Amino acid sequence: MPHHGPQSVDRALALLDAVADADGPVSAKALARRTGCSLSTVYHLLAPLTERGHLVRTARGYALGPLIPRLHRSYLRHLEPAPGVGDVLARLRRATGAEAYYTAYRGGLITVVDTTAPVTDTENPFTPGRETRAHATAHGKALLAELPRTLRRRYLTEHGMARLTAATITSAESLEAELSRVRGQGYAVSVGEADPVYTCLAVALPAERPRGDDAVHALSVSLPTREYRRRPEEVRGALARAAGLL
């Protein structure tokens, strides 16, 4: 039986998420199983998602539709990223051999906006999308360090400080001390805190104008810890030079 109101919206978004998280097109029956909805409800909700272009129906099932790239472009436009950030990421990747990332805090959320890591690289622990491990990642710490204390506390209260590895900081007091160091040294580093075998480094990008919408941006790299320990100064220097271009 069709649902109306907030529950219907929530289920439609769950379908969209399920398609986005899948490795390929998904059948309506599979979507019903994954979302816990009846097949009739799934079909009822798939119709407007398809008509509006959020999804497309293929011979193998439902896939993301042509509206998604437009939404992504709009998202980037609203974030107002630094001009040429894509070129800088590519240059940083060539200079370090490490995957490079552009991340942002806005409206209480931290997002990995762009990266040089291929979308097919499922081993990479830092993929585009919402970041919920800010307390354990270098880009998260670089962004949190720039926020007013009230916004920082609100973010950590809403997202928590889950222990991801033995090195993860899970104490608010310890994290505040770490963020103070980040501000003092001008960069953040996470050695095995979010992923046991990866190190990431990040720098917050200076604001070109007053932040009326509390947005903060950062540039970062990640690489296996064993590689980072062979050339930490080289990687940090390349990151600093890249940030200076934005």
Side-chain angles (χ1 to χ4, degrees):
M1 180 178 180
H3 294 273
H4 303 282
Q7 186 181 46
S8 182
V9 172
D10 186 65
R11 289 180 171 180
L13 293 174
L15 290 174
L16 189 59
D17 287 343
V19 173
D21 291 340
D23 293 331
V26 192
S27 69
K29 288 183 178 179
L31 287 171
R33 290 194 299 270
R34 294 181 189 186
T35 60
C37 296
S38 69
L39 187 58
S40 62
T41 295
V42 167
Y43 277 121
H44 174 75
L45 297 173
L46 286 172
L49 288 172
T50 304
E51 290 170 6
R52 288 175 174 269
H54 292 86
L55 298 178
V56 62
R57 186 175 185 178
T58 73
R60 294 171 50 208
Y62 290 85
L64 293 179
L67 186 64
I68 301 303
R70 195 182 91 187
L71 292 174
H72 181 62
R73 286 195 300 272
S74 297
Y75 176 72
L76 291 178
R77 187 175 68 252
H78 292 172
L79 268 180
E80 298 181 332
V85 67
D87 292 338
V88 171
L89 289 177
R91 180 181 298 189
L92 183 56
R93 173 70 175 83
R94 290 193 296 271
T96 62
E99 300 298 354
Y101 309 83
Y102 177 70
T103 57
Y105 168 94
R106 187 173 189 238
L109 297 177
I110 288 178
T111 305
V112 179
V113 179
D114 198 5
T115 174
T116 58
V119 294
T120 54
D121 184 4
T122 57
E123 298 299 318
N124 192 291
F126 311 109
T127 56
R130 186 173 177 177
E131 175 64 89
T132 59
R133 308 162 297 174
H135 63 295
T137 62
H139 50 253
K141 289 192 282 189
L143 294 169
L144 290 175
E146 293 293 303
L147 296 181
R149 190 180 182 93
T150 53
L151 288 181
R152 187 162 60 245
R153 284 182 170 177
R154 185 182 307 163
Y155 179 91
L156 294 173
T157 297
E158 292 177 357
H159 294 85
M161 299 176 64
R163 180 172 295 283
L164 304 171
T165 73
T168 305
I169 297 174
T170 58
S171 157
E173 182 179 346
S174 298
L175 183 63
E176 281 297 328
E178 172 73 359
L179 297 181
S180 178
R181 284 191 291 271
V182 169
R183 288 187 289 270
Q185 64 194 14
Y187 67 90
V189 61
S190 168
V191 181
E193 295 175 46
D195 182 276
V197 299
Y198 273 83
T199 285
C200 52
L201 290 87
V203 292
L205 300 176
E208 296 181 357
R209 62 192 181 289
R211 294 185 182 120
D213 64 354
D214 75 20
V216 189
H217 302 167
L219 191 66
S220 62
V221 293
S222 74
L223 66 168
T225 297
R226 64 180 183 280
E227 293 183 21
Y228 167 72
R229 284 177 172 156
R230 287 202 295 264
R231 48 194 179 94
E233 296 299 331
E234 174 189 336
V235 176
R236 284 200 294 268
L239 180 60
R241 289 190 294 274
L245 298 174
L246 295 172

